[in-house]
Amino acid sequence: MKMLRFRSPSISSLAQEVRCTVRLLDDSEIACSIQRDTKGQFLLDHVCNHYSLLEKDYFGIRYVDPEKQRHWLDPSKPVVKQMKCQQPYTMCFRVKFYPQEPIKIKEELTRYLLYLQLKRDVYHGRLLCPFADAAYLGACIVQAELGDYDPEEHPADYISDFKLFPKQSLKLERKIMEIHQNELRGQCPALAELNLLQRAYTLDTYGVDPHPCKDFTGSTAFLGFTARGFVVFQGNKRIHLLKWADVSKFKFEGKTFYVIGVQREKKLVLTFHTSTPAACKHLWKCAVENQAFYKCAKSSQIKTVSSSSIFFKGSRFRYSGRVAKEVIEASSKIQREPPVVYRSQFGQSRSFTSLSHKQLIMNMEPLLPALSSSRENRDSSADNGLSALKDSVHLSPLKPSFTPEEAEMEERENHVQDRREDEAANRMRVDEERRQILVDHEDEACSALTISDTAYSPCASMVPTPVEESQGGLDLLFQSPARLLKELHADPDMQLELQAEREREVAREVFGQSLCSPSSGRQQMQACLRSAARLVVMATGLLVILLPLLLVLLESDLDISFLHDIRQTPEFEQFHYEYYCPLRRWFLCKLELMTEQLWGD
């Protein structure tokens, strides 16, 4: 694990260093110490320098806050001010903007990192695809990491060693083996990776980082941003594609996210609801960044946007990087020797890689749901993990000496272990037969209207909040109401709370009776008059302040940036043309009639 210390010119911050760990796309890690005023761009540059990466505008650093909300590290702000969790900080290096045409990527290193990201997308269910495309992508991964098929080295079920998809059936594995053995023979890892990129970018879910939300009907939807535009998925269908040229603005208020655009020469407003305000703000920031990256021709055209209404600016944000066209132009000008690409070897597990660093690393993407919750599958997976761990450890040829008692205990343990392995093998054989029966009943036909035969439910898009078993939440849910009430009333603390509640009820009754007296009636009337007077004063003050500002906005030609931003909002334009202009015409017409009548008299 490499170490680096970023030194800041501020003398007061030299004594305060912060530990950071960045997990890379191949699950290796980089640790570094930064100053408290070190910005996110320095950390991103450090990771890119580790790779010797020049085409770094496609990548970013992601982290998760204590509320399980994901964020992209802002390069223009200090790292410490963005991280809300405790030290040491743990982050992930990921692809942030997917290239629209992977063939235009100049260097093999960049293509390899994009390949690693797409392999993760396939594994976590974000890159949804039909059966034929899934088999081809899986075969490209096997060819890139395993090479050509060799019947002497590879067993009949060698594809089962690769965990490629969330739900990997035997039918899919057989199709992957067929493509790997016949179509991809002779391809080097770089060519197999390029073939995967070329097939992946034609899919509808390529580059989609799904954001779960609810639409106006309450149905679950996944929002995403691609090089083509804004997309919405429901089930296994894409229900909306709004191209970047047709998107006018993104905004949010609380948990509500708005997409304002034009479709078929008519104004379109899409409304979605997220689970938390933080998720809605993160969705809005991702929308602003993707729109600027893919839509603008130059970074000088990027403007600061607001989340806002007309008079209240709300959150303000500006994408500070280069746009896609500038990145492609810069890539075409690279004139160096291609760097050496160090590919991760097949068989390296996530858990084994993290254990080698002897520290706890937070996984940014949650675990996949198991295909089966039976005890047999759990035992077989545990035995497979133990066997893989045995294979990965190089045993010493020297055998230690044992006492007779220790030798007898070891013999018993070996006997128990052998018996468990036999049972696990039998259970695996039975499970294999059941899966074979299910595979025979699968339908090979793929619908032309849908993306895939499975629903789009990426596991990494929704980060669950863990519930400890010791909390007893499930036990309370399944207890009978009578028993639960009996236990609550027997609790001394609950008795005190009930007594306090009775006293409050008595106090409210006494206060209600006191209001019925004549003196209390006069006091109540005076209180109402005072509140009405305060309301009138506040309304008058607001009119005095806002009415001149509104007239300046509507009638003056002052070209101030603040006023210009307000005039460009769709809400202000709608108010101006649909309400203010007709009202002004009506008022002028009435004024002319009154003037003519006065002059005529």
Side-chain angles (χ1 to χ4, degrees):
M1 183 182 296
K2 295 186 177 181
M3 297 292 299
L4 184 68
R5 295 177 183 271
F6 294 116
R7 291 299 182 184
S8 171
S10 176
I11 298 177
S12 60
S13 62
L14 290 178
Q16 298 178 345
E17 294 184 347
V18 180
R19 294 272 303 175
C20 293
T21 300
V22 181
R23 173 170 289 180
L24 306 180
L25 286 164
D26 58 355
D27 287 320
S28 61
E29 294 155 4
I30 297 178
C32 60
S33 296
I34 63 173
Q35 306 300 320
R36 299 189 66 85
D37 57 351
T38 300
K39 294 185 178 180
Q41 185 64 47
F42 290 98
L43 194 59
L44 181 60
D45 290 340
H46 170 46
V47 179
C48 294
N49 292 336
H50 167 77
Y51 278 118
S52 186
L53 177 66
L54 292 183
E55 298 172 297
K56 56 187 178 182
D57 297 270
Y58 298 115
F59 301 90
I61 295 179
R62 168 172 277 168
Y63 66 94
V64 178
D65 63 15
E67 284 74 28
K68 306 298 182 182
Q69 176 59 47
R70 299 185 300 171
H71 302 274
W72 287 107
L73 192 69
D74 193 338
S76 61
K77 295 181 180 180
V79 176
V80 176
K81 291 186 178 180
Q82 301 181 60
M83 303 295 291
K84 300 179 182 179
C85 58
Q86 296 181 354
Q87 301 180 21
Y89 299 147
T90 304
M91 291 161 275
C92 285
F93 179 74
R94 296 290 183 263
V95 174
K96 188 176 183 180
F97 303 110
Y98 289 72
Q100 184 174 6
E101 298 181 43
I103 195 66
K104 293 184 179 181
I105 298 177
K106 182 66 177 293
E107 296 192 323
E108 179 186 344
L109 173 62
T110 312
R111 290 194 293 269
Y112 173 65
L113 295 178
L114 179 59
Y115 157 78
L116 292 179
Q117 178 66 62
L118 290 174
K119 190 173 74 168
R120 300 180 72 92
D121 294 344
V122 169
Y123 180 74
H124 289 282
R126 290 188 294 266
L127 186 61
L128 196 64
C129 49
F131 179 83
D133 292 324
Y136 186 81
L137 295 179
C140 289
I141 295 174
V142 175
Q143 179 68 26
E145 300 192 4
L146 201 62
D148 292 338
Y149 171 73
D150 188 352
E152 296 181 358
E153 294 183 3
H154 304 145
D157 57 345
Y158 67 99
I159 297 297
S160 61
D161 295 333
F162 289 85
K163 301 303 178 183
L164 305 174
F165 299 91
K167 295 182 179 180
Q168 188 168 309
S169 62
L170 286 178
K171 179 182 177 182
L172 180 59
E173 291 181 356
R174 288 199 298 266
K175 187 63 177 179
I176 291 174
M177 286 191 292
E178 178 184 347
I179 298 175
H180 174 234
Q181 296 173 10
N182 301 323
E183 298 182 19
L184 304 182
R185 176 174 292 275
Q187 293 187 4
C188 62
L191 181 57
E193 292 162 4
L194 181 59
N195 288 333
L196 182 140
L197 301 185
Q198 289 292 93
R199 178 64 66 89
Y201 98 96
T202 62
L203 302 174
D204 289 334
T205 52
Y206 169 76
V208 175
D209 184 17
H211 299 262
C213 62
K214 301 284 187 180
D215 62 6
F216 67 97
T217 63
S219 302
T220 301
F222 293 94
L223 311 186
F225 312 98
T226 67
R228 299 179 62 188
F230 168 76
V231 291
V232 183
F233 295 94
Q234 274 189 351
N236 55 359
K237 295 182 180 180
R238 188 185 67 189
I239 62 173
H240 281 295
L241 171 59
L242 199 61
K243 296 183 179 180
W244 290 121
D246 299 330
V247 177
S248 302
K249 184 181 179 182
F250 297 102
K251 72 172 189 176
F252 78 97
E253 295 177 2
K255 300 180 183 180
T256 308
F257 178 71
Y258 300 96
V259 182
I260 303 171
V262 178
Q263 194 173 47
R264 297 178 183 177
E265 299 182 355
K266 293 183 179 180
K267 184 177 180 180
L268 176 68
V269 179
L270 300 176
T271 305
F272 302 94
H273 304 281
T274 59
S275 57
T276 61
C280 195
K281 186 174 182 179
H282 172 64
L283 173 60
W284 173 72
K285 283 188 173 182
C286 292
V288 171
E289 289 183 323
N290 281 271
Q291 184 182 22
F293 183 80
Y294 293 114
K295 185 177 181 180
C296 295
K298 297 181 180 179
S299 56
S300 58
Q301 299 176 354
I302 302 174
K303 298 180 180 180
T304 302
V305 296
S306 173
S307 63
S308 84
S309 56
I310 299 177
F311 299 105
F312 301 95
K313 300 299 290 183
S315 299
R316 296 174 64 85
F317 181 69
R318 183 182 184 275
Y319 171 63
S320 57
R322 294 191 294 185
V323 299
K325 294 182 178 179
E326 293 176 338
V327 175
I328 295 174
E329 292 177 0
S331 299
S332 62
K333 298 177 182 179
I334 296 177
Q335 299 293 334
R336 68 168 180 175
E337 289 293 328
V340 179
V341 180
Y342 297 97
R343 290 177 168 83
S344 59
Q345 298 179 358
F346 168 68
Q348 289 181 349
S349 172
R350 297 167 183 261
S351 58
F352 302 154
T353 303
S354 60
L355 284 173
S356 64
H357 298 298
K358 296 182 180 179
Q359 61 180 353
L360 179 62
I361 299 299
M362 177 179 62
N363 192 356
M364 304 294 285
E365 295 170 342
L367 296 177
L368 288 171
L371 298 180
S372 177
S373 60
S374 63
R375 181 177 179 183
E376 291 80 2
N377 288 341
R378 290 197 298 269
D379 293 339
S380 62
S381 62
D383 293 334
N384 291 336
L386 289 174
S387 60
L389 182 58
K390 290 178 182 178
D391 296 336
S392 63
V393 177
H394 300 284
L395 298 179
S396 173
L398 299 178
K399 295 183 179 180
S401 58
F402 295 101
T403 62
E405 293 79 2
E406 293 176 347
E408 184 178 357
M409 292 178 62
E410 183 182 7
E411 185 178 357
R412 292 179 182 176
E413 292 177 357
N414 292 335
H415 179 69
V416 173
Q417 182 66 24
D418 294 339
R419 188 171 58 185
R420 290 180 179 176
E421 291 179 357
D422 294 339
E423 294 177 356
N426 294 332
R427 286 193 290 265
M428 289 178 64
R429 185 170 61 256
V430 173
D431 185 61
E432 192 75 16
E433 294 175 356
R434 293 177 180 175
R435 291 179 60 187
Q436 182 65 34
I437 294 174
L438 292 176
V439 167
D440 294 338
H441 292 83
E442 289 183 356
D443 187 9
E444 297 182 357
C446 297
S447 175
L449 300 177
T450 60
I451 303 173
S452 173
D453 52 357
T454 58
Y456 189 61
S457 57
C459 62
S461 63
M462 292 178 289
V463 184
T465 302
V467 179
E468 297 181 359
E469 296 180 357
S470 59
Q471 293 178 356
L474 295 177
D475 296 336
L476 290 177
L477 287 176
F478 294 100
Q479 284 184 1
S480 62
R483 179 183 176 184
L484 186 59
L485 288 174
K486 184 177 179 181
E487 292 180 355
L488 289 175
H489 284 288
D491 190 2
D493 295 335
M494 182 58 64
Q495 293 291 337
L496 294 176
E497 292 182 5
L498 292 175
Q499 183 65 26
E501 182 65 26
R502 294 192 191 97
E503 294 176 356
R504 286 194 293 270
E505 290 180 357
V506 172
R508 283 196 295 268
E509 292 178 359
V510 172
F511 179 73
Q513 292 176 359
S514 64
L515 291 178
C516 298
S517 61
S519 59
S520 63
R522 288 192 297 271
Q523 294 176 359
Q524 187 176 6
M525 181 62 69
Q526 292 176 0
C528 291
L529 292 176
R530 284 194 296 269
S531 62
R534 284 196 298 269
L535 180 61
V536 172
V537 170
M538 291 295 296
T540 305
L542 288 175
L543 287 176
V544 169
I545 296 173
L546 296 180
L547 188 59
L549 178 60
L550 186 59
L551 292 176
V552 170
L553 285 170
L554 294 169
E555 298 295 340
S556 70
D557 295 330
L558 295 176
D559 193 9
I560 303 174
S561 60
F562 171 72
L563 300 178
H564 180 74
D565 292 342
I566 295 178
R567 292 193 184 106
Q568 294 298 320
T569 57
E571 297 83 355
F572 183 84
E573 292 179 355
Q574 181 181 7
F575 171 77
H576 183 268
Y577 293 109
E578 295 185 8
Y579 298 99
Y580 177 73
C581 290
L583 181 63
R584 184 177 59 178
R585 287 194 297 267
W586 178 83
F587 180 76
L588 291 176
C589 182
K590 293 296 183 182
L591 186 61
E592 289 178 358
L593 290 176
M594 292 176 62
T595 305
E596 290 177 358
Q597 291 177 359
L598 290 175
W599 284 104
D601 296 338

